[in-house]
Amino acid sequence: MPALPPAVQLVLFGAAGDLAARKLLPALRALHRAGHLPERFTVVGVDRKEMGDDAFRALAADPAGGETEAAFAANLVYLQGDATLPETYTRLAERLDALAPDGGPRPDRVFYLSVAPFLVSHIAGGLGAAGLLADADHD
């Protein structure tokens, strides 16, 4: 298996939706259990639905629970925001920077869009305008 990057931030747009709850978050949880995610792995859920970190963690929770479940949940955070508004991306950039580990290179960032097709161009434009698509090696 190839080496894992030292730190990854996965931004999940549409995090409060059915696809995230039924498929994406359980798949990430399974990868975490199997040790296939970096030690410093953060999922930042973004959606327009109002909820906090704890509610997002509950959405992703495995009913079986356990120590592994708690370790996975600790990596989940939530940002309420409208994908069509520029301030969402400013707040996202601030949150990602605050979550980055001190010292060392910036974490790799992955953006997953579990949204309606009409939002894709809004999200791509917002990420670009906020400087979130810049190559970490060329900041």
Side-chain angles (χ1 to χ4, degrees), residues 38 59 92 119 128:
L59 181 72
L92 176 59
L119 289 172

Side-chain angles (χ1 to χ4, degrees), residues 13-23 25 46-47 49 51 59 114:
F13 286 91
D18 186 58
L19 178 65
R22 288 188 320 108
K23 299 290 182 179
L25 293 169
V46 180
D47 206 302
K49 182 178 180 180
M51 76 167 81
L59 181 72
S114 178

Side-chain angles (χ1 to χ4, degrees), residues 22-46:
R22 288 188 320 108
K23 299 290 182 179
L24 301 174
L25 293 169
L28 289 169
R29 188 175 55 242
L31 288 170
H32 181 266
R33 273 193 197 130
H36 296 307
L37 295 178
E39 185 176 323
R40 295 184 319 227
F41 181 80
T42 305
V43 177
V44 179
V46 180

Side-chain angles (χ1 to χ4, degrees), residues 15-132:
D18 186 58
L19 178 65
R22 288 188 320 108
K23 299 290 182 179
L24 301 174
L25 293 169
L28 289 169
R29 188 175 55 242
L31 288 170
H32 181 266
R33 273 193 197 130
H36 296 307
L37 295 178
E39 185 176 323
R40 295 184 319 227
F41 181 80
T42 305
V43 177
V44 179
V46 180
D47 206 302
R48 63 183 175 191
K49 182 178 180 180
E50 288 190 37
M51 76 167 81
D53 294 347
D54 289 338
F56 182 54
R57 291 173 182 139
L59 181 72
D62 181 355
E67 186 175 318
T68 303
E69 176 67 23
F72 175 69
N75 297 316
L76 304 177
V77 297
Y78 186 80
L79 177 75
Q80 190 275 329
D82 185 328
T84 64
L85 300 177
E87 59 265 21
T88 296
Y89 303 95
T90 302
R91 290 182 20 249
L92 176 59
E94 291 167 356
R95 187 84 188 257
L96 290 171
D97 287 344
L99 291 167
D102 293 333
R106 186 189 84 191
D108 290 345
R109 291 180 176 157
V110 178
F111 300 95
Y112 191 99
L113 282 57
S114 178
V115 297
F118 80 91
L119 289 172
V120 172
S121 62
H122 288 286
I123 294 170
L127 292 171
L132 290 169

